[in-house]
Each structure stands twice: as C-alpha cells, then as structure tokens.
Amino acid sequence: MDDLAVQVVAARAAYSRGDWSAAYRGLSRAHGGGALSTSDLDLLGRASWWVGQVRASLAISEEVFHRLERDGDVTDAAMKAIDLGLLWFVRGDLVISSGWASRARRLLTGLPEAVEHGYLRYLDAAIGLDFRELAPARESAAALQDMGRRLHAPQLTSLGLVLSGLADVRTGDPAGGFAQLDEAMLSVLAGQLPAQWAGDVYCTVIHVCHDLADLSRMRAWTRATETWCEQFRGEVVYSGICRVHRLQLRCVEGGWTALESDVERSGAELVGVNDWVAGEAYYQLGEIRRLRGDVPGAREAYARAEDLGAETQPGTALLELAQGRGRDAWSGLRAALAGRDRVAAARLLRPGVEVALAVGLVAEAAALCEELEATAVEFATDGYRAWAAHARAAVLVAQQRHDDALPVLRAAAVAYRELHARYETATIYELWASAHTGRGDAAAAHADLATALAIYRELGALPDVARLDARALPGGLTSREAEVLGLIAAGASNRDTAGALFISEKTVGRHLANIFAKLGVSSRTAAAAWAHEQGLRPRR
C-alpha cells in the first residue's frame, strides 16, 4: 500500500471516531496528491465543515453531488443535495437552502418512499418555520412520525418530534413542546441521527429558548450541547456556536468588561460558518457597548449584526433614546413590531414601554404592557413574566399609582434575581426609588437609588452611573459633600470627619459652608436634621 493509500485509510479511521481535524488533514493531503474516490471526497467535505472550513466544504460537497448525479446514483445524489440544503440553512442563507431542497425533490420524484424523502420533508418544514409557517410544520411532523414507524427509521420519528415540539413551543405550549424535544433527543443520544442534523436540532432548540427568555432551559440545553460536542476530538463548529450562547447567558449576569473581547472574537470566528449566530454575537457586543456608553462602538456592532441578518431591535432604539432621540426610538420600535407574531414581538415590548413612557405616551405604553402580560400568561416562561412585571411597574409609576406599583416591583425584583439579571435588577431599584418618592418616603428612595447605583458601578454601566450620581444625592450636593454631611449628621466632629475622609479640618469647614449655602440653613443642627429627613447616612 503506497503512502497516499495509507493516509486515506488513517483519515477514514479518524473520521469514524469523530476526530474531524485529523480526518481533514489526512484527506486534504491525499486530495492534493491525487484524485479521491467519491466516498472519500464526501468524507473530506464533511470533515471540512466540522472544522470550520465551510466554503471548502460547500465546494467539495457540490462536487460530490455532481459526481453522484453524473454516475446515476440518484438516491445518494438527492441525499447529498439535502445535506447541502441543511448546510446552507445553518449558514442562514434560506434561498440557496431552498434551491438545494428543490434539486433533491426533483431527483426523488417518482422514486419509492425512502428515508431520504423524510429528511427532505424536515428540511422544507424547517425553512418554513423560519418564516413562522406553523401549519406545514405540524403536517410534516405527523407525516415524519408515521414514516418513521413504517420505514423503521427512528431518526425520522425524532425529526417529527422536533417539528411538533417547535410548533407547540411557538404557539403557547412550552411544556408540551419541550417534552417532545426532550424525547426527540433520545435518538441523538443513541447515535441514530447524523451528527450534522443532531447539531442543528440542538442549536434550534437553544435559539427557541433564547426567544422565549427561558434562560434556565437555555443554560441546560447549552450544557447538553457542550457535552455532546465533547465526544468529538478538538474544536468543532458547534463548539463555537455553544460558546456564543454561553457568552449570551454570562452577559445577563454582568462582567461586561471581561466578556466584551470574548464576544467579539466568537462572533468573528463564526462569520461564514453560521451567520445567524455570528449576528447574535455582534448584537450582544452592541448591547455591551451601549450599556457601557460606547456609542460609536455600539453602532458599529449593531451594523455588523444587521449585515449578518440579525435583528438589531430593541438595541438600536434604546441607543437612540440614550442619545436624546426618543421619537426616533419610538418610530423604530413601532416599525419593528409591525406584523410580528407573539414570540417575535415579546422581546420588543418591554423596551417599547420604556421608550413610550420616555416620550410621554402613557396610553401607548399601557397597551404594549397589556400585550406583554398576555404573552407572559400564554407562554409562562420566567423571562416573560419578569419582563411583564417590569413593564407593569413602570406604567403604574408613570400613572402615579405608587402603592399599586410596590408589590409588582417586588415580584419583578424576585424574578430578575432568579434569572441572575443584574442590569434589569438595578432598573427595578430605580423604579422603586420613584415609587417611594411618590409616597413621600425619601429615605427609602435614597436607599433604592444607592443600591441601583452600586449595581451600575459594578457592571460598568457608565451612562447610568453618571445619570444617578446626580440624582442619588439630594440638594445638589457633591459626593464629597454628601459624605461630610452624613458623618456630621451621625454626630461626628469636624476632626472625626477629617480623619474618616483623610482630609484636613479646614477642608471639612469649607465643605460645611458650601452645604449650608446649598441647603439654605445656618447651623450643623439644621443641616443634620435635613440629612435625617433625606435618609442621608455615612458611607464609611
């Protein structure tokens, strides 16, 4: 056996054990040294895709398709066309995916029913689901499960359960839908579904969890996908996809400074591999930059996400609002909401309430809130319930129904804590402060603002820190003046205050003179009384 043949045999063995990198290297060298058989060329195309060489994979797979079609292997050619349709679907190009599905349909027309017909039916339904076509998905789900039984093909039964589960999840039955998706994965775990199809199922389910703001389930499925990827040797394409989903979840919890470069790098690595997920990564990058106050960086990231086909609302609207262009933000969100189904609209409704209230459209905000509450009741996910409570509390505060807002704020705070949503928790404390101010409880309002400010500082949400730094200190006091007055009100002498703050007594006296002038008082006793009324306490 010559060296070329030895390389091919070794590469085949590597492919069979899931060592895609070794298979790719060996088959690539063999391909460069001479013509590979059609079956070996097919392995090279598959291995190329797994290691992220997507363009090469598509070109090689097309060559395999044409060889099979030329040689009269109609069924194998049809299945290769279906596989190509799946690869283009994963990349996010539905038009080309649909074109390959049509080629497969042409080849399979008139042939006896076989497993290939089932894969084609699933691909057609998956493309339709992306356009929210639920009825064809349900019809295909039933047909696939029936085919699976008749043809003794558990992989088709599994794909039918996937379609049925996705349709149920998107029409208000998440529990029933996810139960079917869990059952579908039994075939995956048993190795009955080809790896690239199993990976697509995993990623589709994670995407649905993200759409439903079901973060706990998203965490579970992301862990399951990572575990599934561990059976393969080295880095594979789904490892990068999982990394983006993991980063999305971590961004909810905070740590943006450390995560920003990871998110950007992960998005860049997936461009041309899976443009949908790459777009999600760039949208997340835009969110990090928006919340940290990097306006040019946020715009750049949102533009990149849009180029990759990702939705950039509500981020772009909230960026407009932060720049003082509330009406533009409202127009953008209203346009984005037009014609969307309940799941697609849900992520825009809570920000829509925020923008509507910011521009004084209380009635419109209330209408969006009611829509979100109805969606939360129908789908009953923790994320939707948290968003709905947040929106309702904001509307109640805007309507000056402060007593009614307090229990809703408590519910929203509990929900966001369970989701580990740090930024949203801080915004709830801001609303709490407004409600307490409306009830005349200045001390509680001051404490709420201090909590919100502490969280914003921890996250690095610089625009919010700057905004609250002024609002959190009553009477127009500076941070240092508030520290001085807090200590004085607690009974500290000028000397004690100077020692606590590491400043001179003369500086303390100058701060007190400024404080008296700002508050319109003439004595320490009057200033201390004012501090107690405002709930101003020592910070050290």
Side-chain angles (χ1 to χ4, degrees):
M1 187 180 293
D2 60 25
D3 289 343
L4 185 62
V6 170
Q7 285 184 352
V8 171
V9 170
R12 290 172 188 160
Y15 188 93
S16 66
R17 65 175 181 266
D19 190 349
W20 316 116
S21 295
Y24 171 73
R25 289 194 300 271
L27 289 168
S28 293
R29 286 194 294 268
H31 189 41
L36 288 175
S37 68
T38 300
S39 60
D40 289 330
L41 188 65
D42 186 31
L43 291 184
L44 175 57
R46 295 175 187 273
S48 300
W49 187 80
W50 278 101
V51 299
Q53 299 295 321
V54 175
R55 291 186 179 179
S57 172
L58 292 170
I60 292 168
S61 295
E62 282 197 38
E63 183 181 345
V64 170
F65 167 79
H66 290 302
R67 282 193 191 184
L68 292 169
E69 188 179 35
R70 181 195 62 207
D71 295 341
D73 295 334
V74 178
T75 302
D76 288 344
M79 192 62 220
K80 179 49 61 178
I82 295 167
D83 284 340
L84 275 160
L86 177 69
L87 299 186
W88 281 103
F89 179 77
V90 169
R91 285 196 70 189
D93 197 320
L94 302 185
V95 174
I96 298 180
S97 176
S98 182
W100 279 106
S102 296
R103 280 188 173 180
R105 190 175 302 105
R106 170 177 56 80
L107 290 169
L108 291 174
T109 298
L111 295 181
E113 183 181 67
V115 171
E116 290 76 15
H117 290 85
Y119 280 111
L120 176 60
R121 184 143 199 170
Y122 175 83
L123 179 59
D124 283 335
I127 294 171
L129 270 177
D130 220 63
F131 293 103
R132 314 296 180 183
E133 296 174 358
L134 298 177
R138 291 192 187 281
E139 180 183 338
S140 293
L144 282 169
Q145 292 180 65
D146 183 57
M147 288 176 68
R149 286 188 292 269
R150 285 188 287 101
L151 299 175
H152 304 289
Q155 67 271 38
L156 299 187
T157 303
S158 179
L159 292 175
L161 286 167
V162 170
L163 291 177
S164 181
L166 291 174
D168 284 351
V169 165
R170 288 192 172 278
T171 52
D173 183 14
F178 280 115
Q180 293 180 84
L181 291 168
D182 290 341
E183 183 182 350
M185 295 317 294
L186 295 177
S187 292
V188 174
L189 297 174
Q192 295 168 333
L193 204 64
Q196 66 269 31
W197 292 79
D200 177 67
V201 170
Y202 269 122
C203 291
T204 299
V205 175
I206 293 171
H207 184 72
V208 169
C209 293
H210 185 258
D211 278 352
L212 294 176
D214 192 340
L215 300 189
S216 59
R217 197 180 294 273
M218 184 177 172
R219 289 186 180 97
W221 277 85
T222 301
R223 285 194 298 270
T225 309
E226 289 170 337
T227 301
W228 176 75
C229 286
E230 288 171 3
Q231 68 181 297
F232 310 122
R233 300 198 179 184
E235 182 84 358
V236 297
V237 64
Y238 285 112
S239 303
I241 294 170
C242 281
R243 189 176 303 114
V244 169
H245 294 316
R246 177 67 65 194
L247 289 169
Q248 286 175 319
L249 291 165
R250 288 178 60 192
C251 286
V252 173
E253 301 169 7
W256 302 332
T257 302
L259 292 173
E260 182 176 352
S261 60
D262 289 341
V263 172
E264 184 173 18
R265 182 172 58 255
S266 296
E269 289 172 352
L270 285 176
V271 172
V273 177
N274 186 313
D275 286 350
W276 280 343
V277 180
E280 288 183 9
Y282 277 104
Y283 177 78
Q284 187 65 64
L285 179 64
E287 290 290 271
I288 292 173
R289 290 174 173 175
R290 172 177 67 82
L291 293 169
R292 296 185 67 197
D294 179 3
V295 174
R299 291 194 187 283
E300 179 185 357
Y302 289 144
R304 190 75 178 101
E306 188 172 24
D307 289 342
L308 292 165
E311 172 61 72
T312 59
Q313 292 287 14
T316 48
L318 293 173
L319 187 62
E320 293 292 330
L321 181 65
Q323 295 299 295
R325 292 185 286 273
R327 288 290 174 177
D328 291 339
W330 175 245
S331 297
L333 273 177
R334 291 299 298 170
L337 279 165
R340 292 188 176 232
D341 63 26
R342 304 194 79 150
V343 172
R347 190 168 296 275
L348 306 181
L349 294 174
R350 208 283 308 159
V353 169
E354 178 183 345
V355 173
L357 292 176
V359 296
L361 301 174
V362 179
E364 287 83 347
L368 294 180
C369 178
E370 289 173 5
E371 184 179 346
L372 180 54
E373 287 172 329
T375 301
V377 169
E378 181 179 353
F379 289 89
T381 65
D382 291 341
Y384 281 7
R385 283 193 285 254
W387 293 349
H390 189 168
R392 176 54 61 190
V395 170
L396 289 171
V397 169
Q399 294 171 335
Q400 299 187 15
R401 295 167 57 188
H402 303 114
D403 289 337
D404 293 335
L406 293 180
V408 183
L409 284 162
R410 279 192 290 272
V414 169
Y416 278 140
R417 288 191 196 109
E418 290 176 351
L419 293 171
H420 310 290
R422 296 287 290 154
Y423 183 82
E424 289 76 10
T425 299
T427 64
I428 293 299
Y429 274 102
E430 272 203 76
L431 282 172
W432 237 325
S434 297
H436 281 134
T437 298
R439 298 178 75 245
D441 190 345
H446 180 72
D448 293 333
L449 285 179
T451 301
L453 183 55
I455 296 172
Y456 288 143
R457 286 190 194 282
E458 176 193 335
L459 293 172
L462 300 184
D464 294 295
V465 170
R467 178 171 51 79
L468 284 201
D469 258 335
R471 184 182 171 191
L473 299 175
L477 301 179
T478 66
S479 296
R480 179 61 86 188
E481 289 167 351
E483 289 179 312
V484 169
L485 181 54
L487 289 165
I488 294 297
S493 65
N494 283 18
R495 176 176 293 180
D496 294 335
T497 300
L501 300 179
F502 302 101
I503 57 178
S504 68
E505 288 186 58
K506 182 177 181 181
T507 301
V508 172
R510 186 169 67 250
H511 283 313
L512 280 174
N514 291 334
I515 291 167
F516 292 169
K518 288 181 178 181
L519 304 185
V521 299
S522 57
S523 69
R524 295 166 67 94
T525 302
W530 182 89
H532 286 301
E533 289 174 1
Q534 298 297 321
L536 198 63
R537 299 178 178 87
R539 297 192 179 187
R540 306 189 185 193

